[in-house]
Amino acid sequence: MPETLDPADPGFARDPYPYYAELRSRGPAARVALANGTHAWLVTGYDRARAVLADARFSNVPPQRAGRPRPDTPARRAQGCLARHMLNSDAPDHLRLRRLTTAAFTPRRVDALRPRIEQLTDGLLAALADTLDHAGGADLVDAFAFPLPVLVIGEVLGVPEADRADLREWTYRVGSPADALAPGAADEAWAALHAYFSSLIAHKRRTPGADLFSSLVHDAGEGGLSDEELLAMAFLLLFAGYETTMNLLASAALLLLTHPAELAAARAGGEAHWAAVVEETLRHASPLEGTTWRRTTEAVVLQDAGGRAEIPAGESVLVVLAAANRDPRHFPAPDAFRPARHLPGPGGRRPAPHLAFGHGPHFCLGARLARLEAAIALPRLFAALPHLRPAADPATLPYRPGLLVRGPRRLPVRTALPAPPNG
């Protein structure tokens, strides 16, 4: 094991699981030195992960930034808004914000997006097929896994269709690695997003629509969202709404392209098998590698069969969902991609629930929407492009820097011509 963990190391980003398995063998939590010069406690076992995620002694409120104030720029203000979202809050503020947001994300309202998601998916697949025909190859992340959730979250936020190309471009910039952009491009995008969402909120106040965000803007009850909270919520919905689903779609496509037997089983098995593919991807290739950072408000002792960990007050703690979802004490053959484990077994038994969307008070509100998008997109992708193949060695694909989100940054694909009929 390396003495210092560098989440941006390409080898770690591509395959962090051996490192996490080693940490898990040390006990319920391990103190790790990070490349930025800080230390943190990583929780990697399934049982302790569930316990920490539901334990109020682990606060989600970030510590106040010490030292000289940073320059006040539009980009900094936008990033500051994002930092004040409900994932970075504790009760009672978190309970109030979650209650208001839950009312907008009822199952009925989410499921009502199905026809539009189908339409958006088919449009992207038609464009992808055209690109493959004319260029011979395409990047599945750039052409499909990224734009679909961005377009869907545009529906949720009630962004006019004419503005969605800008929204997609700004989102691409702020979500891209720094080395992939021209200097200043990310700051320009942050400032543009801040200005755009400020004007969108004002527009929703004057002219509400049927979208979920309008219902948040117009919640006039006691404890409704302030303008600052609405900005934070807009940013959270945007980034949480596309990041998780983008990684889910890209990872699922890659797994199916490299596991042809599982792809054939999904095609033959119908809706239940595609749902199992989604759940197994969430477990096997957790798109959220870790939760938001937590901080101990008092000294905490964690204990399991592997040992004991004493975490002092004021320490940074990260629950590593990707590691918990591969804990062999709960998932037999945890490193194998086996969608069938999520189908009903003898007596209707199912495996332990994975933690891809967290657990406890901060369980992801967008889980239903992410599952819906994947359940629509994946069967349509492989039906529209039945001869899709990887166009690069999967073992060499670049991955997003680790610890918080996980998924391939690029997924080059091509189509293989069908074999000629015999005779």
Side-chain angles (χ1 to χ4, degrees):
M1 276 181 65
E3 292 185 7
T4 301
L5 172 59
D6 180 4
D9 175 77
F12 173 80
R14 187 178 300 115
D15 184 15
Y17 301 106
Y19 181 88
Y20 291 147
E22 173 62 25
L23 289 186
R24 195 165 48 238
S25 72
R26 295 190 193 178
R31 190 170 185 264
V32 172
L34 301 176
N36 63 4
T38 65
H39 289 77
W41 293 80
L42 302 191
V43 178
T44 51
Y46 182 91
D47 289 330
R48 289 308 95 201
R50 283 177 61 94
V52 169
L53 292 174
D55 191 330
R57 295 175 297 175
F58 295 86
S59 172
N60 283 68
V61 178
Q64 294 296 316
R65 187 180 297 276
R68 187 168 55 189
R70 303 173 77 182
D72 181 21
T73 66
R76 295 292 183 212
R77 287 197 292 274
Q79 291 170 304
C81 281
L82 179 60
R84 290 190 289 273
H85 57 66
M86 69 177 177
L87 297 186
N88 285 345
S89 64
D90 296 333
D93 285 343
H94 175 261
L95 293 176
R96 178 179 65 86
L97 294 171
R98 189 175 179 91
R99 175 181 57 80
L100 292 168
T101 311
T102 300
F105 274 82
T106 62
R108 180 183 60 82
R109 298 197 70 168
V110 171
D111 292 345
L113 291 168
R114 174 181 285 275
R116 185 61 175 143
I117 296 173
E118 292 173 343
Q119 185 180 32
L120 293 170
T121 298
D122 291 342
L124 288 172
L125 288 175
L128 176 57
D130 186 63
T131 299
L132 289 167
D133 285 343
H134 289 86
D139 179 358
L140 196 63
V141 174
D142 183 59
F144 188 66
F146 167 70
L148 178 60
V150 170
L151 292 172
V152 171
I153 209 63
E155 296 285 326
V156 171
L157 292 171
V159 172
E161 289 195 35
D163 297 344
R164 291 182 191 178
D166 287 338
L167 184 66
R168 178 180 172 183
E169 174 62 23
W170 297 329
T171 305
Y172 174 80
R173 288 194 210 171
V174 300
S176 294
D179 59 4
L181 300 171
D187 280 353
E188 289 175 3
W190 275 115
L193 283 167
H194 187 278
Y196 182 80
F197 282 132
S198 296
S199 65
L200 182 67
I201 290 168
H203 174 73
K204 297 293 182 187
R205 289 202 190 283
R206 295 190 305 269
T207 313
D211 55 275
L212 277 64
F213 192 57
S214 285
S215 67
L216 290 175
V217 171
H218 281 266
D219 189 312
E222 184 178 350
L225 295 171
S226 67
D227 281 359
E228 186 177 80
E229 289 170 335
L230 283 168
L231 273 173
M233 188 63 69
F235 281 117
L236 177 61
L237 292 175
L238 175 63
F239 293 110
Y242 91 83
E243 186 78 51
T244 303
T245 308
M246 174 183 69
N247 292 329
L248 170 58
L249 293 175
S251 295
L254 178 59
L255 285 166
L256 291 170
L257 288 171
T258 53
H259 293 77
E262 300 296 352
L263 175 56
R267 282 172 159 157
E271 186 175 330
H273 283 72
W274 283 110
V277 166
V278 173
E279 296 307 315
E280 179 66 347
T281 302
L282 289 167
R283 183 204 68 81
H284 181 275
S286 302
L288 290 176
E289 190 166 341
T291 60
T292 50
W293 288 92
R294 283 163 164 77
R295 179 175 49 86
T296 48
T297 58
E298 61 183 77
V300 178
V301 175
L302 299 179
Q303 195 160 354
D304 65 12
R308 186 174 185 271
E310 298 182 26
I311 307 178
E315 293 283 287
S316 294
V317 178
L318 183 70
V319 176
V320 186
L321 304 174
N325 286 334
R326 291 205 186 189
D327 189 335
R329 290 168 290 194
H330 286 272
F331 303 101
D335 295 325
F337 177 64
R338 294 180 180 173
R341 75 174 84 221
H342 299 278
L343 296 171
R349 289 193 307 252
R350 293 182 181 270
H354 59 70
L355 301 179
F357 292 112
H359 174 70
H362 287 271
F363 181 81
C364 178
L365 279 172
R368 188 180 188 90
L369 180 58
R371 284 185 166 107
L372 178 63
E373 290 181 57
I376 291 170
L378 291 172
R380 276 175 148 75
L381 169 66
F382 287 100
L385 301 168
H387 305 293
L388 201 64
R389 298 288 185 273
D393 181 357
T396 65
L397 293 177
Y399 271 70
R400 302 176 71 76
L403 288 185
L404 293 180
V405 296
R406 185 168 190 278
R409 284 169 54 177
R410 293 191 298 275
L411 179 49
V413 292
R414 60 181 177 84
T415 51
L417 295 176
N422 291 331

